Amino acid sequence: MKKILYTRHAFHRKTKSNDFLIEMLQTKYHVEIFDLDLDFDPENVFSSLKGKHYDILLCFQIFIPLKYLDEYISFDKGVVFPMYDAIPLLKDPIWYEYKNFNFICFSSTLHNRLNEMGLSSYYIQYFPKPVEHFSWGDERSVFFWNRRSVINCKTVDKLLSKRDISHIHIHKSLDPQEKFVKPPKTMKNISYSTWYENKNDLLKDIEKSAIYIAPREEEGIGMSFLDAMAMGRCIIAPDNPTMNEYISHGKTGILYHLEQVVPLEVNNIRQMQEEAFRYIRDGFQSWEKNKFDILHWIEIEPVVDESLLQLVPWNERPIKKKYKFLGIPVWKTKLWKKKQQKIFYLFGFIPVFQKNNVQNEE
């Protein structure tokens, strides 16, 4: 049986968000999982791999610099599963280092961009298993997983100001470096949770509400809102990938522009719930049929168009500031688009997370 070295962020042990991929790989390969903690020392950690050989090196979200791959890891083929919400700048030279890898994307937007850059990219859309039977939930009740400061209680209150909401459940489990924004006085009858040891307990609370507020401005896959769609919830989400790759506005959910939050017209909730459930059900059948294409893609030779690769010299890499988070060296860079974004690099080269400018914070 061939061997895969599966590298990922250690926090995925807790979230289990990529376990579906590991379980599929284990049907064909011996999978050795290599978790990278936030406080690891690159040279000490990678030195444990010296003398080992792998048929495939798989990088889930993580981009390990070529100097460490060449020095410490022996492998025949490489594959990256990049996440849309945590990628390096598209003109960052790290992409050039990975030109001989295949990229497998769960976001069609990212897949198209990588192809435009000349990289070898394949696309498949993930779908979770739908519930066998779903209850409708309360149309006047909302489940909001508060993960980012930019999508906060004030955001939710404004979005739903035209609806008669009788209850909101706030799952107060924020991502690192994010701040909780207190609910406005207009928001009544609030319940809270912090973390669910058992995922079924989370799903039971989501099931009580007909409306689900997507927690992030962008997603790599979007397990949180996809699980809610698989339960037939009406999802309200920013009009960004991967949410807008699953949600058709007014049909399977509601999309809004985070740059200009306005009160939403949320009508026909039951119809959107039914359409969302049907969409996930049909998509899951397609996923089950096509998912094993991944096992083929990780082994074929990459097809690269060198003339399309967009590069900038290393000395122009926009690392702006080094600081410490919980005693760990972290670098921060800024990307200017329609709004300012901050991308945080662990040890200056591994993108850990990204956040937009925070609005309406207290």
Side-chain angles (χ1 to χ4, degrees):
M1 185 175 283
K2 290 185 176 182
K3 294 172 61 178
I4 286 182
L5 180 65
Y6 188 107
T7 64
R8 65 178 185 180
H9 290 304
F11 60 73
H12 286 131
R13 285 198 306 261
K14 182 177 181 179
T15 65
K16 301 185 184 299
S17 60
N18 55 20
D19 281 6
F20 73 92
L21 179 59
I22 295 171
E23 290 168 5
M24 183 174 64
L25 293 170
Q26 288 173 335
T27 64
K28 185 178 178 181
Y29 303 96
H30 171 74
V31 181
E32 181 179 331
I33 298 176
F34 192 74
D35 288 329
L36 294 173
D37 293 301
L38 290 179
D39 58 349
F40 77 91
D41 177 350
E43 294 192 14
N44 289 339
V45 169
F46 292 130
S47 63
S48 67
L49 298 173
K50 256 193 170 177
K52 295 183 179 181
H53 180 79
Y54 300 91
D55 298 284
I56 298 167
L57 169 66
L58 188 153
C59 301
F60 189 91
Q61 184 174 338
I62 290 176
F63 287 73
I64 302 170
L66 188 64
K67 64 178 181 179
Y68 292 114
L69 299 183
D70 288 344
E71 185 174 356
Y72 295 108
I73 305 177
S74 173
F75 61 96
D76 295 328
K77 295 183 182 298
V79 61
V80 181
F81 285 76
M83 297 293 106
Y84 182 87
D85 62 332
I87 59 170
L89 302 178
L90 291 179
K91 290 189 177 182
D92 195 310
I94 193 75
W95 295 102
Y96 182 78
E97 292 189 9
Y98 278 80
K99 67 177 183 178
N100 294 321
F101 281 54
N102 280 320
F103 292 84
I104 300 177
C105 298
F106 293 112
S107 164
S108 60
T109 305
L110 179 57
H111 164 69
N112 291 333
R113 290 182 183 178
L114 296 187
N115 274 339
E116 290 170 359
M117 291 168 61
L119 295 167
S120 183
S121 179
Y122 298 89
Y123 168 66
I124 187 168
Q125 191 173 32
Y126 170 79
F127 286 88
K129 185 177 181 179
V131 296
E132 293 185 11
H133 306 283
F134 73 87
S135 60
W136 292 103
D138 186 348
E139 282 188 84
R140 299 173 63 218
S141 181
V142 178
F143 186 98
F144 169 45
W145 185 344
N146 192 186
R147 299 187 71 169
R148 296 288 178 91
S149 304
V150 70
I151 302 177
N152 55 59
C153 295
K154 290 184 177 181
T155 311
V156 175
D157 188 57
K158 188 168 186 178
L159 288 171
L160 297 175
S161 59
K162 288 186 177 182
R163 284 198 64 83
D164 180 19
I165 301 298
S166 62
H167 173 255
I168 179 167
H169 182 87
I170 301 173
H171 183 41
K172 188 179 174 182
S173 181
L174 284 87
D175 291 345
Q177 294 289 301
E178 301 292 332
K179 290 167 50 179
F180 179 68
V181 178
K182 294 180 181 179
K185 293 181 180 179
T186 53
M187 189 176 282
K188 307 292 185 182
N189 195 15
I190 303 171
S191 58
Y192 291 93
S193 56
T194 53
W195 182 257
Y196 295 88
E197 292 296 333
N198 189 321
K199 184 178 179 179
N200 287 332
D201 293 334
L202 166 65
L203 298 180
K204 286 178 182 178
D205 275 346
I206 293 174
E207 189 178 33
K208 296 174 184 176
S209 302
I211 301 171
Y212 180 95
I213 308 296
R216 286 175 167 166
E217 59 270 43
E218 296 170 338
E219 288 285 1
I221 300 178
M223 293 296 189
S224 57
F225 82 86
L226 287 176
D227 283 340
M229 284 188 78
M231 300 170 66
R233 303 303 94 179
C234 174
I235 311 298
I236 298 177
D239 189 5
N240 296 319
T242 57
M243 291 82 73
N244 61 10
E245 297 176 9
Y246 291 90
I247 299 171
S248 297
H249 180 70
K251 183 179 179 182
T252 56
I254 299 291
L255 297 171
Y256 67 93
H257 297 287
L258 193 55
E259 296 84 359
Q260 188 175 8
V261 177
V262 297
L264 297 174
E265 296 288 347
V266 185
N267 302 312
N268 303 319
I269 287 180
R270 295 306 192 206
Q271 182 179 345
M272 286 190 285
Q273 287 184 259
E274 188 174 358
E275 290 289 341
F277 177 77
R278 184 182 295 114
Y279 176 74
I280 295 295
R281 182 194 62 195
D282 295 344
F284 180 71
Q285 293 175 358
S286 176
W287 164 256
E288 287 292 288
K289 179 182 177 181
N290 299 319
K291 65 182 181 181
F292 288 99
D293 288 347
I294 292 174
L295 302 183
H296 171 65
W297 294 336
I298 64 178
E299 292 211 38
I300 62 178
E301 291 297 322
V303 180
V304 179
D305 187 340
E306 295 266 2
S307 67
L308 294 177
L309 288 177
Q310 302 174 33
L311 306 176
V312 294
W314 275 107
N315 59 8
E316 292 183 20
R317 189 172 187 180
I319 300 298
K320 297 294 185 183
K321 182 180 179 182
K322 175 183 176 182
Y323 67 102
K324 286 198 172 183
F325 169 59
L326 300 179
I328 306 164
V330 178
W331 281 254
K332 180 171 67 178
T333 185
K334 295 180 180 178
L335 170 64
W336 293 86
K337 290 183 179 177
K338 292 181 180 178
K339 55 186 179 296
Q340 182 180 337
Q341 293 178 316
K342 298 176 184 177
I343 302 176
F344 295 81
Y345 288 86
L346 181 63
F347 300 104
F349 54 78
I350 299 178
V352 181
F353 60 91
Q354 170 180 313
K355 69 180 281 191
N356 294 333
N357 261 357
V358 176
Q359 299 175 1
N360 299 327
E361 285 193 0
E362 285 189 342

